[in-house]
Amino acid sequence: MSNKKLMEEHGLVFPRSEGIMAGELTVTAAGSGVGRSQLIEYTKYPKTPRLYGGNCVITEKLHGTNGTLIFQKDGAMTCGSRNRALTREKNGDNHGFLAWAAERQRELFHILGEGVHSGEWCGPGIEGNKHELEERVFFLFDTTLVQKLDHYSSQCAELQLWHVPVMYEGKFTPDIVARMMDELKMGRR
């Protein structure tokens, strides 16, 4: 019997979504309860406001592979990549991201808390390790967590948990992106 058929028999369906992340997403739990399916509700992504005149955050593009940690209220964790839930089955992990997260689940939950936490998993053996990292590191995309991660800096260093490098934070102007690109080209970042 196919996975899809089995899931349908148990009431787990893949509804068609309109827009970004609408409806429910079926994922396979990792860490505590590997192999168990859970339904996680996603809220439809809000309209993106226009940049002109507003504030923006510009971060450096990292070269790695996408990783996502989803924590429930009780600390149960699901790991995913951009397109799929990760499992402990052969070829089910994503460059060791699931194994890394499972070993550190309690500490990660303590720092990050309930919610969906996405980022870039970088280091040796991933996308040519363009950043020449000595160890694999998880860089969170959510720049609003910068102060929280700084508060736990020694624990984050042990966990190899960081936020993406912030290049600029402030008012958006038409020339700010070009200025940041020039700084990267000149090696100032």
Side-chain angles (χ1 to χ4, degrees), residues 46-66:
K47 278 192 148 208
T48 303
R50 302 285 181 215
L51 284 176
Y52 294 100
N55 290 328
C56 73
V57 177
I58 298 175
T59 62
E60 183 178 345
K61 163 66 173 112
L62 298 177
H63 298 278
T65 186
N66 182 274

Side-chain angles (χ1 to χ4, degrees), residues 82-162:
R82 182 175 44 237
N83 301 317
R84 64 186 174 92
L86 302 179
T87 68
R88 294 182 189 267
E89 297 170 5
K90 186 178 180 180
N91 299 322
D93 201 342
N94 186 14
H95 294 281
F97 180 70
L98 172 62
W100 170 84
E103 287 176 19
R104 297 157 179 81
Q105 180 175 347
R106 183 174 299 156
E107 295 89 347
L108 290 168
F109 178 67
H110 175 74
I111 293 169
L112 300 173
E114 179 184 4
V116 179
H117 308 285
S118 295
E120 198 76 359
W121 179 234
C122 302
I126 304 172
E127 294 296 317
N129 193 18
K130 293 179 174 104
H131 306 286
E132 299 177 357
L133 298 169
E134 292 180 18
E135 296 179 77
R136 290 182 176 175
V137 179
F138 186 49
F139 293 94
L140 290 163
F141 294 142
D142 186 351
T143 59
T144 64
L145 293 174
V146 169
Q147 287 182 335
K148 188 175 192 178
L149 295 180
D150 287 348
H151 177 75
Y152 292 104
S153 61
S154 61
Q155 290 167 297
C156 289
E158 289 176 27
L159 294 170
Q160 296 300 326
L161 175 68
W162 305 104

Side-chain angles (χ1 to χ4, degrees), residues 12-27:
L12 304 173
V13 295
F14 293 96
R16 296 205 182 279
S17 62
E18 293 181 26
I20 301 172
M21 299 295 218
E24 295 177 333
L25 174 69
T26 304
V27 295

